[in-house]
Amino acid sequence: DAKTTQPNSMESNEEEPVHLPCNHSTISGTDYIHWYRQLPSQGPEYVIHGLTSNVNNRMASLAIAEDRKSSTLILHRATLRDAAVYYCILWNGNKLVFGAGTILRVKS
Amino acid sequence: DSGVTQTPKHLITATGQRVTLRCSPRSGDLSVYWYQQSLDQGLQFLIQYYNGEERAKGNILERFSAQQFPDLHSELNLSSLELGDSALYFCASSPRNNEQFFGPGTRLTVL
């Protein structure tokens, strides 16, 4: 399984943008980049995914490097509700392989 | 609320026992996945079913088995339980083998 590398933790102020990086240098051409998050005491929640182009949805934006070896999840205005563990995952058609993720702390 | 339901919410049992965890996927989702989350191992994929058939297998122990029924609900059976099986067990469903919607989980405690 192709591996992703994320910082252990990040901190943000409320109402400010947050950029969560992910490195995936061994990504293959058919791997999609998926982001999930897990709020305390809840199951993981799908955030966004992409293949080559940048993607936007109501929750976040995903910026994918041209060589696809890295990507960045962008939360445009962090709220206290966004405090969670964020997982960057390479998906190739069936199982999701979760790494340790990034713990995002949001300060008011 | 993801639309995926799991029962029971909590389960406490003893070593050597057998338990069954149940998952009802979102309406219309054909794929069901099972994951285990423990403190030392993180979230690990166990097994996937698609429309009643096993599709992919992960780090699932031989003591564990699963099935998906014609109404698409799924059950995860854990037998000869050990202390190390204590964990959160999540079920997820997917409409088209893409984004997955996770249930609230079943917390299993083996004493």
Side-chain angles (χ1 to χ4, degrees):
Chain A
D1 300 314
K3 201 172 149 58
T4 63
T5 305
Q6 299 177 252
N8 290 335
S9 63
M10 291 184 66
E11 203 166 77
S12 167
N13 292 318
E14 209 177 359
E15 303 293 313
E16 289 185 359
V18 182
H19 291 233
L20 296 163
C22 181
N23 286 321
H24 28 78
S25 57
T26 58
I27 191 171
S28 75
T30 55
D31 284 335
Y32 283 79
I33 301 158
H34 278 235
W35 284 82
Y36 282 76
R37 72 180 185 181
Q38 188 172 18
L39 279 64
S41 304
Q42 294 188 29
E45 175 187 30
Y46 167 80
V47 178
I48 200 167
H49 78 276
L51 184 62
T52 55
S53 307
N54 295 344
V55 185
N56 300 298
N57 67 19
R58 63 172 180 81
M59 286 181 75
S61 295
L62 177 60
I64 301 172
E66 205 168 319
D67 63 5
R68 300 212 322 131
K69 291 183 190 290
S70 65
S71 61
T72 302
L73 178 71
I74 302 163
L75 306 180
H76 295 285
R77 286 175 70 221
T79 69
L80 296 178
R81 274 218 56 220
D82 292 320
V85 181
Y86 286 78
Y87 298 98
C88 168
I89 301 163
L90 300 183
W91 182 81
N92 61 5
N94 44 50
K95 60 183 179 180
L96 292 172
V97 180
F98 288 83
T102 296
I103 299 170
L104 175 65
R105 297 184 179 91
V106 180
K107 297 185 297 184
S108 58
Chain B
D1 184 355
S2 66
V4 177
T5 59
Q6 290 186 247
T7 55
K9 205 166 180 170
H10 301 278
L11 198 46
I12 300 174
T13 188
T15 54
Q17 295 297 305
R18 173 190 164 93
V19 296
T20 298
L21 313 184
R22 183 187 167 102
C23 169
S24 293
R26 295 185 333 151
S27 177
D29 285 359
L30 298 179
S31 276
V32 169
Y33 308 77
W34 286 97
Y35 293 85
Q36 179 193 56
Q37 186 171 35
S38 59
L39 279 173
D40 56 343
Q41 297 274 352
L43 259 164
Q44 293 213 48
F45 168 75
L46 295 177
I47 198 163
Q48 177 201 1
Y49 277 82
Y50 179 84
N51 203 20
E53 294 197 4
E54 184 183 301
R55 175 64 68 90
K57 221 167 184 174
N59 301 323
I60 187 166
L61 299 171
E62 281 192 22
R63 300 183 285 108
F64 295 1
S65 65
Q67 51 184 327
Q68 186 179 26
F69 295 86
D71 68 351
L72 300 179
H73 92 270
S74 178
E75 291 180 357
L76 179 67
N77 300 297
L78 316 176
S79 62
S80 303
L81 285 167
E82 301 174 0
L83 295 177
D85 298 327
S86 295
L88 266 168
Y89 291 84
F90 290 105
C91 163
S93 74
S94 178
R96 48 189 176 274
N97 215 31
N98 205 336
E99 65 262 37
Q100 296 182 19
F101 297 86
F102 284 76
T106 292
R107 182 174 293 280
L108 173 67
T109 302
V110 182
L111 300 175

mmCIF file of all heavy atoms in Angstrom, chain B residues 34-80:
data_model
loop_
_atom_site.group_PDB
_atom_site.id
_atom_site.type_symbol
_atom_site.label_atom_id
_atom_site.label_comp_id
_atom_site.label_asym_id
_atom_site.label_seq_id
_atom_site.Cartn_x
_atom_site.Cartn_y
_atom_site.Cartn_z
ATOM 1 N N TRP B 34 -15.645 -3.190 7.293
ATOM 2 C CA TRP B 34 -15.437 -3.251 8.738
ATOM 3 C C TRP B 34 -14.018 -2.807 9.062
ATOM 4 O O TRP B 34 -13.058 -3.195 8.387
ATOM 5 C CB TRP B 34 -15.657 -4.669 9.265
ATOM 6 C CG TRP B 34 -17.094 -5.077 9.330
ATOM 7 C CD1 TRP B 34 -17.783 -5.811 8.409
ATOM 8 C CD2 TRP B 34 -18.020 -4.781 10.388
ATOM 9 N NE1 TRP B 34 -19.089 -5.986 8.823
ATOM 10 C CE2 TRP B 34 -19.256 -5.369 10.028
ATOM 11 C CE3 TRP B 34 -17.931 -4.089 11.590
ATOM 12 C CZ2 TRP B 34 -20.396 -5.270 10.841
ATOM 13 C CZ3 TRP B 34 -19.055 -3.994 12.393
ATOM 14 C CH2 TRP B 34 -20.266 -4.587 12.014
ATOM 15 N N TYR B 35 -13.901 -1.983 10.122
ATOM 16 C CA TYR B 35 -12.614 -1.479 10.594
ATOM 17 C C TYR B 35 -12.523 -1.680 12.101
ATOM 18 O O TYR B 35 -13.517 -1.645 12.815
ATOM 19 C CB TYR B 35 -12.468 0.020 10.298
ATOM 20 C CG TYR B 35 -12.388 0.370 8.840
ATOM 21 C CD1 TYR B 35 -13.535 0.548 8.075
ATOM 22 C CD2 TYR B 35 -11.156 0.551 8.214
ATOM 23 C CE1 TYR B 35 -13.468 0.872 6.736
ATOM 24 C CE2 TYR B 35 -11.077 0.883 6.871
ATOM 25 C CZ TYR B 35 -12.233 1.035 6.136
ATOM 26 O OH TYR B 35 -12.154 1.360 4.810
ATOM 27 N N GLN B 36 -11.285 -1.853 12.575
ATOM 28 C CA GLN B 36 -11.025 -1.948 14.006
ATOM 29 C C GLN B 36 -10.131 -0.774 14.401
ATOM 30 O O GLN B 36 -9.151 -0.478 13.706
ATOM 31 C CB GLN B 36 -10.304 -3.266 14.305
ATOM 32 C CG GLN B 36 -9.948 -3.469 15.770
ATOM 33 C CD GLN B 36 -8.970 -4.625 15.948
ATOM 34 O OE1 GLN B 36 -7.899 -4.638 15.348
ATOM 35 N NE2 GLN B 36 -9.333 -5.606 16.753
ATOM 36 N N GLN B 37 -10.487 -0.104 15.493
ATOM 37 C CA GLN B 37 -9.637 0.984 15.978
ATOM 38 C C GLN B 37 -9.243 0.713 17.417
ATOM 39 O O GLN B 37 -10.066 0.739 18.326
ATOM 40 C CB GLN B 37 -10.349 2.336 15.881
ATOM 41 C CG GLN B 37 -9.439 3.503 16.252
ATOM 42 C CD GLN B 37 -10.063 4.852 15.941
ATOM 43 O OE1 GLN B 37 -11.279 5.036 16.056
ATOM 44 N NE2 GLN B 37 -9.251 5.811 15.524
ATOM 45 N N SER B 38 -7.965 0.452 17.611
ATOM 46 C CA SER B 38 -7.444 0.282 18.970
ATOM 47 C C SER B 38 -6.418 1.361 19.230
ATOM 48 O O SER B 38 -5.915 1.990 18.297
ATOM 49 C CB SER B 38 -6.829 -1.105 19.144
ATOM 50 O OG SER B 38 -5.787 -1.291 18.209
ATOM 51 N N LEU B 39 -6.089 1.557 20.515
ATOM 52 C CA LEU B 39 -5.185 2.653 20.890
ATOM 53 C C LEU B 39 -3.803 2.463 20.278
ATOM 54 O O LEU B 39 -3.169 3.419 19.849
ATOM 55 C CB LEU B 39 -5.093 2.751 22.410
ATOM 56 C CG LEU B 39 -6.258 3.487 23.068
ATOM 57 C CD1 LEU B 39 -6.172 3.375 24.574
ATOM 58 C CD2 LEU B 39 -6.280 4.950 22.629
ATOM 59 N N ASP B 40 -3.328 1.206 20.244
ATOM 60 C CA ASP B 40 -1.952 1.003 19.782
ATOM 61 C C ASP B 40 -1.845 0.760 18.279
ATOM 62 O O ASP B 40 -0.781 0.951 17.696
ATOM 63 C CB ASP B 40 -1.309 -0.156 20.558
ATOM 64 C CG ASP B 40 -2.127 -1.436 20.455
ATOM 65 O OD1 ASP B 40 -3.304 -1.350 20.077
ATOM 66 O OD2 ASP B 40 -1.586 -2.507 20.769
ATOM 67 N N GLN B 41 -2.946 0.379 17.616
ATOM 68 C CA GLN B 41 -2.866 0.045 16.184
ATOM 69 C C GLN B 41 -3.559 1.059 15.287
ATOM 70 O O GLN B 41 -3.451 0.973 14.081
ATOM 71 C CB GLN B 41 -3.517 -1.324 15.929
ATOM 72 C CG GLN B 41 -2.826 -2.485 16.622
ATOM 73 C CD GLN B 41 -1.693 -3.031 15.798
ATOM 74 O OE1 GLN B 41 -1.519 -2.646 14.644
ATOM 75 N NE2 GLN B 41 -0.903 -3.891 16.383
ATOM 76 N N GLY B 42 -4.290 1.992 15.849
ATOM 77 C CA GLY B 42 -5.013 2.929 15.002
ATOM 78 C C GLY B 42 -6.158 2.246 14.279
ATOM 79 O O GLY B 42 -6.611 1.172 14.665
ATOM 80 N N LEU B 43 -6.625 2.879 13.190
ATOM 81 C CA LEU B 43 -7.747 2.355 12.406
ATOM 82 C C LEU B 43 -7.235 1.360 11.391
ATOM 83 O O LEU B 43 -6.431 1.691 10.531
ATOM 84 C CB LEU B 43 -8.423 3.491 11.649
ATOM 85 C CG LEU B 43 -9.700 4.046 12.234
ATOM 86 C CD1 LEU B 43 -10.024 5.392 11.614
ATOM 87 C CD2 LEU B 43 -10.860 3.093 11.994
ATOM 88 N N GLN B 44 -7.748 0.125 11.468
ATOM 89 C CA GLN B 44 -7.287 -0.909 10.535
ATOM 90 C C GLN B 44 -8.468 -1.516 9.795
ATOM 91 O O GLN B 44 -9.463 -1.889 10.403
ATOM 92 C CB GLN B 44 -6.557 -2.006 11.306
ATOM 93 C CG GLN B 44 -5.267 -1.541 11.908
ATOM 94 C CD GLN B 44 -4.257 -2.670 11.933
ATOM 95 O OE1 GLN B 44 -4.043 -3.366 10.939
ATOM 96 N NE2 GLN B 44 -3.653 -2.867 13.066
ATOM 97 N N PHE B 45 -8.305 -1.664 8.501
ATOM 98 C CA PHE B 45 -9.325 -2.281 7.653
ATOM 99 C C PHE B 45 -9.357 -3.781 7.925
ATOM 100 O O PHE B 45 -8.319 -4.435 7.991
ATOM 101 C CB PHE B 45 -8.996 -2.015 6.192
ATOM 102 C CG PHE B 45 -9.792 -2.834 5.210
ATOM 103 C CD1 PHE B 45 -11.120 -2.542 4.958
ATOM 104 C CD2 PHE B 45 -9.196 -3.888 4.537
ATOM 105 C CE1 PHE B 45 -11.844 -3.291 4.047
ATOM 106 C CE2 PHE B 45 -9.909 -4.641 3.625
ATOM 107 C CZ PHE B 45 -11.233 -4.345 3.376
ATOM 108 N N LEU B 46 -10.550 -4.319 8.098
ATOM 109 C CA LEU B 46 -10.696 -5.748 8.329
ATOM 110 C C LEU B 46 -11.187 -6.484 7.076
ATOM 111 O O LEU B 46 -10.549 -7.409 6.598
ATOM 112 C CB LEU B 46 -11.675 -6.004 9.478
ATOM 113 C CG LEU B 46 -11.244 -5.511 10.862
ATOM 114 C CD1 LEU B 46 -12.345 -5.758 11.891
ATOM 115 C CD2 LEU B 46 -9.935 -6.143 11.291
ATOM 116 N N ILE B 47 -12.339 -6.063 6.555
ATOM 117 C CA ILE B 47 -12.937 -6.805 5.458
ATOM 118 C C ILE B 47 -13.995 -5.952 4.760
ATOM 119 O O ILE B 47 -14.560 -5.043 5.359
ATOM 120 C CB ILE B 47 -13.545 -8.128 5.979
ATOM 121 C CG1 ILE B 47 -13.791 -9.126 4.842
ATOM 122 C CG2 ILE B 47 -14.807 -7.866 6.797
ATOM 123 C CD1 ILE B 47 -14.003 -10.552 5.339
ATOM 124 N N GLN B 48 -14.218 -6.238 3.462
ATOM 125 C CA GLN B 48 -15.246 -5.559 2.677
ATOM 126 C C GLN B 48 -16.163 -6.575 2.022
ATOM 127 O O GLN B 48 -15.712 -7.614 1.518
ATOM 128 C CB GLN B 48 -14.617 -4.692 1.574
ATOM 129 C CG GLN B 48 -15.664 -4.022 0.684
ATOM 130 C CD GLN B 48 -15.132 -3.584 -0.673
ATOM 131 O OE1 GLN B 48 -13.973 -3.773 -1.001
ATOM 132 N NE2 GLN B 48 -15.996 -2.968 -1.474
ATOM 133 N N TYR B 49 -17.446 -6.266 2.017
ATOM 134 C CA TYR B 49 -18.427 -7.040 1.263
ATOM 135 C C TYR B 49 -19.109 -6.133 0.258
ATOM 136 O O TYR B 49 -19.321 -4.933 0.514
ATOM 137 C CB TYR B 49 -19.483 -7.655 2.200
ATOM 138 C CG TYR B 49 -19.003 -8.929 2.819
ATOM 139 C CD1 TYR B 49 -18.180 -8.901 3.943
ATOM 140 C CD2 TYR B 49 -19.325 -10.162 2.278
ATOM 141 C CE1 TYR B 49 -17.704 -10.067 4.506
ATOM 142 C CE2 TYR B 49 -18.850 -11.341 2.832
ATOM 143 C CZ TYR B 49 -18.038 -11.283 3.946
ATOM 144 O OH TYR B 49 -17.555 -12.450 4.500
ATOM 145 N N TYR B 50 -19.425 -6.719 -0.893
ATOM 146 C CA TYR B 50 -20.157 -5.981 -1.916
ATOM 147 C C TYR B 50 -21.316 -6.849 -2.365
ATOM 148 O O TYR B 50 -21.110 -7.938 -2.913
ATOM 149 C CB TYR B 50 -19.251 -5.622 -3.099
ATOM 150 C CG TYR B 50 -19.970 -4.885 -4.204
ATOM 151 C CD1 TYR B 50 -20.156 -3.508 -4.130
ATOM 152 C CD2 TYR B 50 -20.474 -5.568 -5.310
ATOM 153 C CE1 TYR B 50 -20.832 -2.836 -5.133
ATOM 154 C CE2 TYR B 50 -21.152 -4.900 -6.308
ATOM 155 C CZ TYR B 50 -21.332 -3.532 -6.218
ATOM 156 O OH TYR B 50 -22.003 -2.855 -7.205
ATOM 157 N N ASN B 51 -22.523 -6.399 -2.129
ATOM 158 C CA ASN B 51 -23.737 -7.090 -2.542
ATOM 159 C C ASN B 51 -23.718 -8.569 -2.139
ATOM 160 O O ASN B 51 -24.066 -9.437 -2.938
ATOM 161 C CB ASN B 51 -23.919 -6.952 -4.054
ATOM 162 C CG ASN B 51 -25.369 -7.124 -4.474
ATOM 163 O OD1 ASN B 51 -26.289 -6.992 -3.665
ATOM 164 N ND2 ASN B 51 -25.585 -7.433 -5.738
ATOM 165 N N GLY B 52 -23.293 -8.837 -0.947
ATOM 166 C CA GLY B 52 -23.328 -10.186 -0.402
ATOM 167 C C GLY B 52 -22.054 -11.005 -0.571
ATOM 168 O O GLY B 52 -21.940 -12.080 0.011
ATOM 169 N N GLU B 53 -21.128 -10.482 -1.350
ATOM 170 C CA GLU B 53 -19.905 -11.269 -1.593
ATOM 171 C C GLU B 53 -18.685 -10.571 -1.008
ATOM 172 O O GLU B 53 -18.581 -9.341 -1.068
ATOM 173 C CB GLU B 53 -19.700 -11.465 -3.099
ATOM 174 C CG GLU B 53 -20.786 -12.326 -3.707
ATOM 175 C CD GLU B 53 -20.395 -12.855 -5.070
ATOM 176 O OE1 GLU B 53 -19.251 -12.619 -5.517
ATOM 177 O OE2 GLU B 53 -21.252 -13.488 -5.705
ATOM 178 N N GLU B 54 -17.758 -11.356 -0.499
ATOM 179 C CA GLU B 54 -16.524 -10.795 0.028
ATOM 180 C C GLU B 54 -15.727 -10.170 -1.113
ATOM 181 O O GLU B 54 -15.493 -10.812 -2.146
ATOM 182 C CB GLU B 54 -15.704 -11.891 0.710
ATOM 183 C CG GLU B 54 -14.442 -11.390 1.378
ATOM 184 C CD GLU B 54 -13.635 -12.539 1.969
ATOM 185 O OE1 GLU B 54 -14.159 -13.264 2.830
ATOM 186 O OE2 GLU B 54 -12.466 -12.702 1.546
ATOM 187 N N ARG B 55 -15.295 -8.932 -0.934
ATOM 188 C CA ARG B 55 -14.597 -8.224 -2.012
ATOM 189 C C ARG B 55 -13.112 -8.016 -1.689
ATOM 190 O O ARG B 55 -12.262 -8.112 -2.567
ATOM 191 C CB ARG B 55 -15.276 -6.874 -2.247
ATOM 192 C CG ARG B 55 -14.609 -5.956 -3.255
ATOM 193 C CD ARG B 55 -14.609 -6.531 -4.667
ATOM 194 N NE ARG B 55 -15.908 -6.614 -5.271
ATOM 195 C CZ ARG B 55 -16.472 -5.649 -5.994
ATOM 196 N NH1 ARG B 55 -15.859 -4.511 -6.163
ATOM 197 N NH2 ARG B 55 -17.657 -5.836 -6.554
ATOM 198 N N ALA B 56 -12.804 -7.687 -0.431
ATOM 199 C CA ALA B 56 -11.407 -7.444 -0.059
ATOM 200 C C ALA B 56 -11.214 -7.821 1.401
ATOM 201 O O ALA B 56 -12.135 -7.745 2.203
ATOM 202 C CB ALA B 56 -11.035 -5.983 -0.274
ATOM 203 N N LYS B 57 -9.997 -8.260 1.700
ATOM 204 C CA LYS B 57 -9.685 -8.685 3.062
ATOM 205 C C LYS B 57 -8.465 -7.938 3.550
ATOM 206 O O LYS B 57 -7.495 -7.774 2.799
ATOM 207 C CB LYS B 57 -9.395 -10.188 3.052
ATOM 208 C CG LYS B 57 -9.978 -10.957 4.200
ATOM 209 C CD LYS B 57 -9.918 -12.447 3.921
ATOM 210 C CE LYS B 57 -10.587 -13.203 5.041
ATOM 211 N NZ LYS B 57 -10.687 -14.633 4.788
ATOM 212 N N GLY B 58 -8.491 -7.494 4.780
ATOM 213 C CA GLY B 58 -7.351 -6.809 5.370
ATOM 214 C C GLY B 58 -6.766 -7.645 6.480
ATOM 215 O O GLY B 58 -6.639 -8.849 6.381
ATOM 216 N N ASN B 59 -6.429 -6.997 7.582
ATOM 217 C CA ASN B 59 -5.778 -7.687 8.693
ATOM 218 C C ASN B 59 -6.793 -8.359 9.607
ATOM 219 O O ASN B 59 -6.804 -8.145 10.812
ATOM 220 C CB ASN B 59 -4.975 -6.674 9.516
ATOM 221 C CG ASN B 59 -3.922 -5.986 8.672
ATOM 222 O OD1 ASN B 59 -3.317 -6.599 7.812
ATOM 223 N ND2 ASN B 59 -3.743 -4.694 8.892
ATOM 224 N N ILE B 60 -7.614 -9.203 9.061
ATOM 225 C CA ILE B 60 -8.649 -9.836 9.862
ATOM 226 C C ILE B 60 -8.157 -11.174 10.380
ATOM 227 O O ILE B 60 -7.621 -11.987 9.634
ATOM 228 C CB ILE B 60 -9.970 -9.987 9.061
ATOM 229 C CG1 ILE B 60 -11.113 -10.487 9.963
ATOM 230 C CG2 ILE B 60 -9.789 -10.870 7.819
ATOM 231 C CD1 ILE B 60 -12.492 -10.348 9.373
ATOM 232 N N LEU B 61 -8.297 -11.369 11.690
ATOM 233 C CA LEU B 61 -7.835 -12.606 12.310
ATOM 234 C C LEU B 61 -8.747 -13.772 11.911
ATOM 235 O O LEU B 61 -9.910 -13.576 11.583
ATOM 236 C CB LEU B 61 -7.861 -12.456 13.839
ATOM 237 C CG LEU B 61 -6.977 -11.362 14.426
ATOM 238 C CD1 LEU B 61 -7.263 -11.188 15.908
ATOM 239 C CD2 LEU B 61 -5.505 -11.674 14.189
ATOM 240 N N GLU B 62 -8.201 -14.975 11.997
ATOM 241 C CA GLU B 62 -9.007 -16.164 11.655
ATOM 242 C C GLU B 62 -10.160 -16.361 12.625
ATOM 243 O O GLU B 62 -11.171 -16.972 12.283
ATOM 244 C CB GLU B 62 -8.117 -17.404 11.654
ATOM 245 C CG GLU B 62 -7.295 -17.519 10.388
ATOM 246 C CD GLU B 62 -6.639 -18.891 10.257
ATOM 247 O OE1 GLU B 62 -7.115 -19.857 10.886
ATOM 248 O OE2 GLU B 62 -5.640 -18.973 9.514
ATOM 249 N N ARG B 63 -10.027 -15.825 13.832
ATOM 250 C CA ARG B 63 -11.099 -15.936 14.843
ATOM 251 C C ARG B 63 -12.277 -15.014 14.499
ATOM 252 O O ARG B 63 -13.329 -15.089 15.110
ATOM 253 C CB ARG B 63 -10.564 -15.547 16.225
ATOM 254 C CG ARG B 63 -9.421 -16.403 16.713
ATOM 255 C CD ARG B 63 -8.999 -16.012 18.130
ATOM 256 N NE ARG B 63 -8.239 -14.778 18.184
ATOM 257 C CZ ARG B 63 -8.678 -13.635 18.661
ATOM 258 N NH1 ARG B 63 -9.928 -13.535 19.129
ATOM 259 N NH2 ARG B 63 -7.907 -12.557 18.690
ATOM 260 N N PHE B 64 -12.068 -14.132 13.552
ATOM 261 C CA PHE B 64 -13.107 -13.178 13.166
ATOM 262 C C PHE B 64 -13.695 -13.596 11.818
ATOM 263 O O PHE B 64 -12.978 -14.079 10.931
ATOM 264 C CB PHE B 64 -12.536 -11.772 13.017
ATOM 265 C CG PHE B 64 -12.000 -11.157 14.284
ATOM 266 C CD1 PHE B 64 -11.998 -11.826 15.482
ATOM 267 C CD2 PHE B 64 -11.477 -9.862 14.253
ATOM 268 C CE1 PHE B 64 -11.516 -11.241 16.647
ATOM 269 C CE2 PHE B 64 -10.978 -9.266 15.403
ATOM 270 C CZ PHE B 64 -10.994 -9.958 16.596
ATOM 271 N N SER B 65 -14.985 -13.379 11.653
ATOM 272 C CA SER B 65 -15.610 -13.639 10.355
ATOM 273 C C SER B 65 -16.738 -12.637 10.157
ATOM 274 O O SER B 65 -17.213 -12.026 11.119
ATOM 275 C CB SER B 65 -16.162 -15.063 10.277
ATOM 276 O OG SER B 65 -17.207 -15.224 11.216
ATOM 277 N N ALA B 66 -17.123 -12.462 8.922
ATOM 278 C CA ALA B 66 -18.194 -11.521 8.632
ATOM 279 C C ALA B 66 -19.064 -12.074 7.525
ATOM 280 O O ALA B 66 -18.681 -13.015 6.829
ATOM 281 C CB ALA B 66 -17.615 -10.163 8.224
ATOM 282 N N GLN B 67 -20.237 -11.511 7.383
ATOM 283 C CA GLN B 67 -21.087 -11.828 6.252
ATOM 284 C C GLN B 67 -22.015 -10.654 5.983
ATOM 285 O O GLN B 67 -22.263 -9.821 6.852
ATOM 286 C CB GLN B 67 -21.891 -13.104 6.484
ATOM 287 C CG GLN B 67 -22.657 -13.183 7.776
ATOM 288 C CD GLN B 67 -23.339 -14.535 7.949
ATOM 289 O OE1 GLN B 67 -23.770 -15.179 6.991
ATOM 290 N NE2 GLN B 67 -23.457 -14.975 9.189
ATOM 291 N N GLN B 68 -22.518 -10.623 4.741
ATOM 292 C CA GLN B 68 -23.496 -9.615 4.349
ATOM 293 C C GLN B 68 -24.729 -10.365 3.847
ATOM 294 O O GLN B 68 -24.622 -11.248 2.995
ATOM 295 C CB GLN B 68 -22.948 -8.694 3.256
ATOM 296 C CG GLN B 68 -23.886 -7.546 2.928
ATOM 297 C CD GLN B 68 -23.337 -6.614 1.865
ATOM 298 O OE1 GLN B 68 -22.525 -6.998 1.028
ATOM 299 N NE2 GLN B 68 -23.785 -5.373 1.868
ATOM 300 N N PHE B 69 -25.856 -9.989 4.360
ATOM 301 C CA PHE B 69 -27.101 -10.699 4.098
ATOM 302 C C PHE B 69 -27.833 -10.104 2.888
ATOM 303 O O PHE B 69 -27.485 -9.008 2.434
ATOM 304 C CB PHE B 69 -27.984 -10.645 5.344
ATOM 305 C CG PHE B 69 -27.383 -11.393 6.504
ATOM 306 C CD1 PHE B 69 -26.480 -10.780 7.360
ATOM 307 C CD2 PHE B 69 -27.699 -12.726 6.731
ATOM 308 C CE1 PHE B 69 -25.908 -11.468 8.423
ATOM 309 C CE2 PHE B 69 -27.133 -13.424 7.784
ATOM 310 C CZ PHE B 69 -26.232 -12.788 8.628
ATOM 311 N N PRO B 70 -28.842 -10.822 2.357
ATOM 312 C CA PRO B 70 -29.567 -10.301 1.177
ATOM 313 C C PRO B 70 -30.163 -8.913 1.379
ATOM 314 O O PRO B 70 -30.279 -8.154 0.412
ATOM 315 C CB PRO B 70 -30.668 -11.354 0.956
ATOM 316 C CG PRO B 70 -30.071 -12.619 1.485
ATOM 317 C CD PRO B 70 -29.240 -12.196 2.676
ATOM 318 N N ASP B 71 -30.516 -8.543 2.618
ATOM 319 C CA ASP B 71 -31.036 -7.189 2.827
ATOM 320 C C ASP B 71 -29.908 -6.169 2.991
ATOM 321 O O ASP B 71 -30.151 -5.009 3.297
ATOM 322 C CB ASP B 71 -31.980 -7.146 4.025
ATOM 323 C CG ASP B 71 -31.253 -7.385 5.347
ATOM 324 O OD1 ASP B 71 -30.048 -7.743 5.318
ATOM 325 O OD2 ASP B 71 -31.877 -7.233 6.409
ATOM 326 N N LEU B 72 -28.699 -6.596 2.787
ATOM 327 C CA LEU B 72 -27.451 -5.805 2.779
ATOM 328 C C LEU B 72 -26.909 -5.474 4.163
ATOM 329 O O LEU B 72 -25.814 -4.904 4.242
ATOM 330 C CB LEU B 72 -27.598 -4.521 1.945
ATOM 331 C CG LEU B 72 -27.955 -4.755 0.481
ATOM 332 C CD1 LEU B 72 -28.113 -3.421 -0.243
ATOM 333 C CD2 LEU B 72 -26.896 -5.607 -0.216
ATOM 334 N N HIS B 73 -27.596 -5.827 5.230
ATOM 335 C CA HIS B 73 -26.977 -5.595 6.525
ATOM 336 C C HIS B 73 -25.839 -6.596 6.698
ATOM 337 O O HIS B 73 -25.778 -7.630 6.023
ATOM 338 C CB HIS B 73 -28.014 -5.661 7.669
ATOM 339 C CG HIS B 73 -28.177 -7.003 8.301
ATOM 340 N ND1 HIS B 73 -29.097 -7.941 7.849
ATOM 341 C CD2 HIS B 73 -27.547 -7.582 9.359
ATOM 342 C CE1 HIS B 73 -29.035 -9.014 8.604
ATOM 343 N NE2 HIS B 73 -28.102 -8.845 9.527
ATOM 344 N N SER B 74 -24.928 -6.272 7.584
ATOM 345 C CA SER B 74 -23.746 -7.107 7.757
ATOM 346 C C SER B 74 -23.534 -7.406 9.237
ATOM 347 O O SER B 74 -23.949 -6.636 10.102
ATOM 348 C CB SER B 74 -22.518 -6.382 7.190
ATOM 349 O OG SER B 74 -21.341 -7.133 7.385
ATOM 350 N N GLU B 75 -22.898 -8.522 9.487
ATOM 351 C CA GLU B 75 -22.537 -8.896 10.856
ATOM 352 C C GLU B 75 -21.067 -9.288 10.904
ATOM 353 O O GLU B 75 -20.547 -9.917 9.971
ATOM 354 C CB GLU B 75 -23.405 -10.066 11.334
ATOM 355 C CG GLU B 75 -24.851 -9.681 11.543
ATOM 356 C CD GLU B 75 -25.724 -10.829 12.028
ATOM 357 O OE1 GLU B 75 -25.217 -11.962 12.157
ATOM 358 O OE2 GLU B 75 -26.914 -10.581 12.269
ATOM 359 N N LEU B 76 -20.424 -8.865 11.979
ATOM 360 C CA LEU B 76 -19.034 -9.222 12.238
ATOM 361 C C LEU B 76 -19.031 -10.115 13.469
ATOM 362 O O LEU B 76 -19.506 -9.703 14.525
ATOM 363 C CB LEU B 76 -18.174 -7.973 12.472
ATOM 364 C CG LEU B 76 -16.697 -8.197 12.769
ATOM 365 C CD1 LEU B 76 -15.975 -8.761 11.547
ATOM 366 C CD2 LEU B 76 -16.040 -6.885 13.197
ATOM 367 N N ASN B 77 -18.544 -11.335 13.315
ATOM 368 C CA ASN B 77 -18.504 -12.298 14.409
ATOM 369 C C ASN B 77 -17.084 -12.407 14.947
ATOM 370 O O ASN B 77 -16.144 -12.633 14.177
ATOM 371 C CB ASN B 77 -18.964 -13.679 13.923
ATOM 372 C CG ASN B 77 -20.376 -13.646 13.389
ATOM 373 O OD1 ASN B 77 -21.318 -13.356 14.125
ATOM 374 N ND2 ASN B 77 -20.542 -13.905 12.105
ATOM 375 N N LEU B 78 -16.941 -12.241 16.247
ATOM 376 C CA LEU B 78 -15.633 -12.319 16.892
ATOM 377 C C LEU B 78 -15.701 -13.453 17.905
ATOM 378 O O LEU B 78 -16.565 -13.449 18.785
ATOM 379 C CB LEU B 78 -15.300 -11.002 17.599
ATOM 380 C CG LEU B 78 -15.586 -9.702 16.840
ATOM 381 C CD1 LEU B 78 -15.294 -8.502 17.732
ATOM 382 C CD2 LEU B 78 -14.758 -9.620 15.573
ATOM 383 N N SER B 79 -14.804 -14.431 17.781
ATOM 384 C CA SER B 79 -14.863 -15.579 18.686
ATOM 385 C C SER B 79 -13.547 -15.754 19.434
ATOM 386 O O SER B 79 -12.541 -15.121 19.094
ATOM 387 C CB SER B 79 -15.204 -16.848 17.897
ATOM 388 O OG SER B 79 -14.200 -17.104 16.939
ATOM 389 N N SER B 80 -13.591 -16.603 20.457
ATOM 390 C CA SER B 80 -12.414 -16.865 21.312
ATOM 391 C C SER B 80 -11.742 -15.552 21.689
ATOM 392 O O SER B 80 -10.533 -15.365 21.506
ATOM 393 C CB SER B 80 -11.422 -17.781 20.585
ATOM 394 O OG SER B 80 -12.028 -18.980 20.206
#
